[in-house]
Amino acid sequence: MKKILITGGAGFIGSHVVRLMVNKYPQTQVYNLDSLTYAGNLANLTDIELKPNYFFLKMDILDQEKINSLFEEHHFDAVLHLAAESHVDRSITNPLEFIHTNILGTVNLLNAARNFWNKPYEGKRFYHISTDEVYGSLGSEGLFTETTAYDPRSPYSASKASSDHFVRAYHHTYGLPVVISNCSNNYGPNQFPEKLIPLFINNIIQMKPLPVYGKGENVRDWLYVEDHAHAIDLILQKGKNGETYNIGGHNEWKNIDLIHILCKIMDKKLGREPGHSETLITYVKDRAGHDLRYAIDAGKLQRELGWEPSLQFEEGLEKTVDWYLNNKAWLEQVTSGEYQNFYHQQYEKR
Ligand code: NAD
Ligand code: DAU
């Protein structure tokens, strides 16, 4: 591929995907389109920003005119669409923003691809990056497969489910060559400290309470972000048009068990007394409509494209903790200003 467009490339997962593509494919021009919301941060990409095959475009996917001009000017071979509002708690407070960015923004990109790519779209690919949350919530048994019926239960997951439906509709109606992947919870460097793991790392550093929703019994299936980026690369290169691929870590953890491990790692790394961080654990009011369990069957991706996660969880968590401890300036930058208002509204006013 000569030219690819990555949306949301300044965010958490997007920045790891951009880095992988820029470094692995020096002959491919990688365009990172991002409007730099609170979650987008060019500091995530300083190591590759001067590479000759990297280009940054500050642009909003809601701006259809600019998006159209961009597609008219550049003949992208592929779009990797990651730009989104991504935090469930924010979607509970402000659903409309999620409808705008996640649904309308996706449809804007689909329209641009449909209108400005030459039919019959030979050699083109529109890759939509989605989430396992579209499948709803599991009980104590079972796994999400690619054929599990959609049952989104938060404004965030409803907006992602809707965008998935539009992507499939453009494939069936207009023949647009699309592929979708639905991934489980990611963790790793550069994740904004509104999500469980980086929020708790930051609070432990600051010796602030660790707000565990409900009884801490909800289960998530965790995947190291670089493993997700490698899966995205594989699906981009070898996935089949019109197909969906589930991506997951075979790595289910009850929140409270994960938090205990994280506390132990943090105590060790910070040279604090064993058990110190655990004293910060504070049970708080549950998230509204809190999904009990997510777990992915990634068998199709393994069988058809040979993908497997590479890291054991404790190793991945240690790498993640090391990154945050070695990048305190990054953490301070993203937790100053507006973050303080978010934190106050979300945790201190409850
Ligand atoms: P993130 O919130 O860290 O980053 C989102 C990026 O999109 C930011 O850089 C932001 O500036 C940009 N953006 C937001 N609105 C935009 C707009 N209107 N125009 C242009 N850019 C805009 O998100 P993430 O956690 O990296 O998730 C990336 C994608 O992967 C999302 O689509 C999300 O639904 C999906 N996903 C995330 C996870 C996870 O665990 N984080 C798991 C599965 C799927
Ligand atoms: O499953 C994939 C999804 O994973 C992605 O699509 C989302 O973009 C991503 O945000 C993530 O959603 P979750 O809601 O699972 O992630 P979060 O880190 O917000 O929460 C993980 C679990 O931890 C969840 O059960 C809620 C709980 N939690 C979270 C926070 C922020 C707490 O107990 N306390 C907290 O303060």
Side-chain angles (χ1 to χ4, degrees), residues 85 154 207 217-218 252-253 284 307 343:
E85 288 293 333
S154 75
M207 295 201 225
E217 283 176 351
N218 304 67
E252 288 182 53
W253 287 87
V284 301
W307 178 84
Y343 197 89

Side-chain angles (χ1 to χ4, degrees), residues 179-211:
V179 69
I180 299 180
S181 58
N182 297 82
C183 189
S184 62
N185 287 62
N186 284 217
Y187 71 101
N190 307 96
Q191 189 169 30
F192 192 79
E194 61 187 352
K195 309 278 164 59
L196 179 74
I197 291 177
L199 180 90
F200 278 35
I201 291 174
N202 187 43
N203 283 17
I204 291 172
I205 295 172
Q206 312 269 335
M207 295 201 225
K208 281 166 67 171
L210 304 178

Side-chain angles (χ1 to χ4, degrees), residues 125-280:
R125 171 153 283 181
F126 189 105
Y127 182 174
H128 179 61
I129 281 75
S130 192
T131 169
D132 62 356
E133 298 198 12
V134 298
Y135 298 123
S137 180
L138 292 164
S140 53
E141 298 286 307
L143 300 172
F144 296 134
T145 71
E146 287 81 0
T147 55
T148 301
Y150 274 31
D151 182 23
R153 294 151 42 103
S154 75
Y156 163 68
S157 54
S159 69
K160 290 296 290 187
S162 173
S163 65
D164 292 10
H165 289 320
F166 273 102
V167 173
R168 285 197 187 94
Y170 273 58
H171 176 66
H172 290 289
T173 311
Y174 308 114
L176 203 68
V178 309
V179 69
I180 299 180
S181 58
N182 297 82
C183 189
S184 62
N185 287 62
N186 284 217
Y187 71 101
N190 307 96
Q191 189 169 30
F192 192 79
E194 61 187 352
K195 309 278 164 59
L196 179 74
I197 291 177
L199 180 90
F200 278 35
I201 291 174
N202 187 43
N203 283 17
I204 291 172
I205 295 172
Q206 312 269 335
M207 295 201 225
K208 281 166 67 171
L210 304 178
V212 180
Y213 295 162
K215 294 184 179 152
E217 283 176 351
N218 304 67
V219 174
R220 297 294 182 263
D221 178 355
W222 294 92
L223 180 68
Y224 193 67
V225 63
E226 287 179 3
D227 281 338
H228 188 187
H230 282 111
I232 289 174
D233 176 33
L234 194 62
I235 292 167
L236 176 70
Q237 308 296 337
K238 299 199 172 137
K240 288 201 193 111
N241 285 335
E243 291 288 320
T244 295
Y245 299 89
N246 279 356
I247 311 172
H250 313 299
N251 182 38
E252 288 182 53
W253 287 87
K254 244 185 212 177
N255 290 342
I256 193 65
D257 295 337
L258 183 165
I259 290 160
H260 281 299
I261 297 190
L262 185 62
C263 286
K264 285 199 181 68
I265 295 175
M266 290 296 290
D267 285 342
K268 188 177 79 181
K269 301 270 179 194
L270 291 169
R272 293 181 184 160
E273 282 288 294
H276 181 276
S277 297
E278 282 166 351
T279 63
L280 301 170

